[in-house]
Amino acid sequence: MTLAQRLSRYQTANTACKPVASGRLDRVVGLTLEAIGCRAPVGSVCKVETLNGELEAEVVGFAGETLFLMPSEQLLGVMPGAKVTPILHNSGIPVGPELLGRVIDGIGNPLDGLGPIFTEQRASFTSAPINPLSRKPIKEPLDVGIKAINGLLTVGKGQRIGLFAGSGVGKSVTLGMMTRGTSAQIVVVGLIGERGREVKEFIDEILGKEGRERAVVIAAPADASPLMRLKGCQTSLTIAEYFRDQGFDVLLLMDSLTRFAQAQREIALSVGEPPATKGYPPSVFAKLPALVERAGNGNENQGSITAFFTVLSEGDDLQDPIADASRAILDGHIVLSREMADAGHYPAIDVERSVSRVMPAIVSDEHMLMSKAVRQILSICRKNQDLVAIGAYKPGTDATIDQAFSFKPKLDSYLQQEMKEAVPYEMCVNMLRSTLGG
C-alpha cells in the first residue's frame, strides 16, 4: 500500500451527520442502554436525549430488534422512552501536528484548557491491518535513555514490548524517563484507567514541559466510562499511526493494556457475552492482538511505532490471563520487580526475567556477549545469595562465584538511574563495557 493510499484513509468528508429514523429507549441495565424502533450497525453512534441535553452512545451489540448502546459519559438525566437517533456518519478524531503538546480525552476532545483543536484531517478509531510482508524489518536500535534497557534489553525501532509489573513499583516513572530520553521524534502517551491525580502528576512532573512539546497525551482516567477507556487506547494508536505515516519515528507508551482488557470485559459482559478465562470473555483475547498489531514499522516510505504497553500483573502474578496473552503477542517483555523497588533500586528492572526478542538482530556481537555475561553474573549471585548471607560460603571455594560477587556492586550501580537522568545509547554501551572491565 502506497503512502498516498495510507493517508487517504485519514481524509474524511466534513459533512454534517445525517440522521435516520429515530427509536426510543426501552430500558437501562447496568451501564447498557437498550433501544428499540431504530436500526444501526455495530460501532455506529447514536444520540440519546436526556434532561441534560444529548448523550452520545455507541452500538456495541443487538438482539433481534433491540440495540445495545454503551454511553461515552455518565448516565445522568436518562428517562424511559427517551428519543434515540442513529447517526450514519462518524467524523472520527482530529489528527495533525496541532495535537503536539496537547492533552485530549478518549475521543479527541481537549482536556488541557488550551482551547479547541482545529486540524485539516480526521481519522477513524480503527484501521485496516497492514500486510505483514510490507512492513520494514527491525534493523536499528531505539534510544530510550535508560541504561538497563539500552544496554541489556535493547529495543529496536518498530518493536512492541510489554512492561510487566504490579501496582506501585514505578511503571509510570519508567515511562516518563523514556519520554525525556528517547531519540524518537514524536511521543504518544495513553493514560488509560489511571487515577485522576496520577494523570496530572504524570503530565506536570514526570513528563515535564520539555517532554510535552513533542508529545500527545490521551487521558481516559478510571472514572471514565468503559467505552471511553476503550476508545482512549484506539485513539492513541490512531494518532501514532498518523505520525508514522508522515515518516516520523514514534514512541507509543500505553498505560495500561490491562485497563483496555478490563474495559472490553465490562462492555462484553454487559451485553451478555459469557465469561471464559477468569471472567474474561473471548472477545477480550481477540481485541488484544488487533490493537497491538497496529503498532510496529510501516513500509519503506513510512516511519515506525515503537510501543511500550504496560501490563498490570495482579498480585505480581505473571501468569495472569492478560499478562500471559500479552506476553505471547509482544516482541519481548520487561519485568519490574517489587523486591527491587522495596530495596530502593530504581528503575526496578529485573534483567533476568526480562527479554528483548529483537536484540540479537540489532546489536553487535560484542554487545550481545556483554549482555549475556551480565545475565550470568546476576544469575550466579541470585542462586548463591542465601549461602553468602548466612556465611555458609567461604571466599576462595569457587572462583566463578567470587568473580560474580565482585562484579555485583558495579552492576547494581550501572542498573540504577535517577528519574530525570537520560543516558544516550552509545554511552550506555560504553559504560557497560567499562563496568565489565573491557
Side-chain angles (χ1 to χ4, degrees):
M1 186 179 292
T2 65
L3 178 59
Q5 291 173 324
R6 293 282 292 164
L7 289 177
S8 65
R9 65 187 177 88
Y10 290 105
Q11 300 170 351
T12 58
N14 293 323
T15 57
C17 295
K18 181 181 178 181
V20 293
S22 300
R24 63 181 179 85
L25 195 62
D26 185 40
R27 66 173 183 167
V28 177
V29 181
L31 298 175
T32 309
L33 307 176
E34 296 185 8
I36 58 176
C38 56
R39 302 181 66 185
V42 174
S44 63
V45 177
C46 295
K47 296 284 188 179
V48 181
E49 285 189 349
T50 71
L51 293 176
N52 304 317
E54 290 186 325
L55 172 72
E56 282 195 1
E58 182 175 313
V59 181
V60 295
F62 60 87
E65 298 297 322
T66 302
L67 291 181
F68 298 137
L69 310 175
M70 182 65 63
S72 58
E73 305 170 21
Q74 293 184 355
L75 287 175
L76 298 175
V78 178
M79 301 179 297
K83 183 179 179 181
V84 178
T85 306
I87 304 300
L88 286 182
H89 300 286
N90 185 7
S91 59
I93 60 172
V95 290
E98 297 83 0
L99 289 172
L100 295 176
R102 301 301 300 269
V103 182
I104 61 177
D105 66 8
I107 55 177
N109 298 319
L111 295 175
D112 48 16
L114 300 179
I117 301 174
F118 298 102
T119 63
E120 294 182 358
Q121 299 177 359
R122 303 186 76 87
S124 171
F125 290 101
T126 59
S127 63
I130 298 178
N131 186 334
L133 298 183
S134 68
R135 289 185 186 268
K136 292 182 298 185
I138 301 174
K139 293 183 177 180
E140 56 181 312
L142 178 75
D143 184 4
V144 295
I146 299 177
K147 292 184 289 183
I149 298 178
N150 282 345
L152 304 175
L153 302 163
T154 309
V155 175
K157 289 183 180 180
Q159 184 175 357
R160 296 156 297 193
I161 195 163
L163 194 62
F164 291 73
S167 57
V169 295
K171 295 191 302 298
S172 298
V173 174
T174 303
L175 295 181
M177 294 172 68
M178 293 183 194
T179 62
R180 289 189 298 270
T182 183
S183 59
Q185 299 147 312
I186 304 293
V187 179
V188 178
V189 183
L191 301 177
I192 311 301
E194 293 292 329
R195 294 182 289 271
R197 176 191 62 81
E198 289 188 341
V199 172
K200 183 171 177 58
E201 182 180 303
F202 182 91
I203 294 171
D204 293 343
E205 299 181 17
I206 298 179
L207 185 60
K209 182 178 179 181
E210 182 180 348
R212 188 172 168 179
E213 291 178 353
R214 57 170 174 164
V216 183
V217 179
I218 299 90
D223 60 347
S225 69
L227 181 64
M228 187 66 78
R229 282 178 270 143
L230 197 72
K231 291 294 185 184
C233 295
Q234 295 173 340
T235 297
S236 302
L237 265 301
T238 297
I239 293 173
E241 286 175 327
Y242 166 79
F243 285 109
R244 177 189 64 190
D245 292 351
Q246 303 299 314
F248 293 104
D249 289 324
V250 181
L251 177 64
L252 171 66
L253 307 174
M254 185 175 293
D255 187 11
S256 68
L257 196 61
T258 305
R259 306 300 187 195
F260 171 82
Q262 290 174 346
Q264 174 59 26
R265 177 176 63 179
E266 292 179 44
I267 294 173
L269 292 177
S270 67
V271 298
E273 186 177 351
T277 308
K278 289 191 177 181
Y280 286 99
S283 63
V284 172
F285 301 99
K287 282 186 174 291
L288 280 176
L291 182 77
V292 170
E293 283 296 321
R294 293 176 64 180
N297 282 335
N299 60 36
E300 295 297 332
N301 299 318
Q302 299 169 348
S304 64
I305 301 176
T306 307
F308 281 82
F309 297 95
T310 68
V311 180
L312 183 62
S313 304
E314 298 181 3
D316 297 324
D317 179 18
L318 294 181
Q319 304 307 316
D320 173 82
I322 300 303
D324 194 46
S326 301
R327 192 165 50 245
I329 59 178
L330 294 168
D331 303 323
H333 55 275
I334 296 174
V335 178
L336 300 186
S337 166
R338 186 173 299 278
E339 182 180 352
M340 296 174 69
D342 291 342
H345 186 295
Y346 289 102
I349 297 175
D350 190 336
V351 175
E352 287 186 83
R353 301 168 68 192
S354 306
V355 64
S356 172
R357 294 177 181 172
V358 305
M359 183 177 177
I362 59 176
V363 301
S364 65
D365 292 340
E366 181 202 18
H367 189 172
M368 199 66 208
L369 287 173
M370 290 191 294
S371 175
K372 290 180 179 178
V374 170
R375 289 177 178 274
Q376 292 171 355
I377 291 170
L378 294 176
S379 177
I380 292 171
C381 292
R382 177 180 53 81
K383 292 177 180 177
N384 296 278
Q385 185 175 2
D386 292 340
L387 292 177
V388 174
I390 64 176
Y393 174 78
K394 295 182 180 180
T397 304
D398 189 315
T400 303
I401 296 177
D402 292 342
Q403 187 179 32
F405 275 95
S406 69
F407 276 112
K408 186 66 163 57
K410 299 178 183 178
L411 289 178
D412 286 341
S413 177
Y414 175 81
L415 294 174
Q416 295 183 62
Q417 190 170 333
E418 294 296 327
M419 184 180 76
K420 296 186 178 180
E421 178 187 5
V423 184
Y425 175 79
E426 291 298 335
M427 185 179 294
C428 292
V429 177
N430 293 333
M431 290 175 68
L432 179 61
R433 185 183 295 112
S434 176
T435 300
L436 294 174

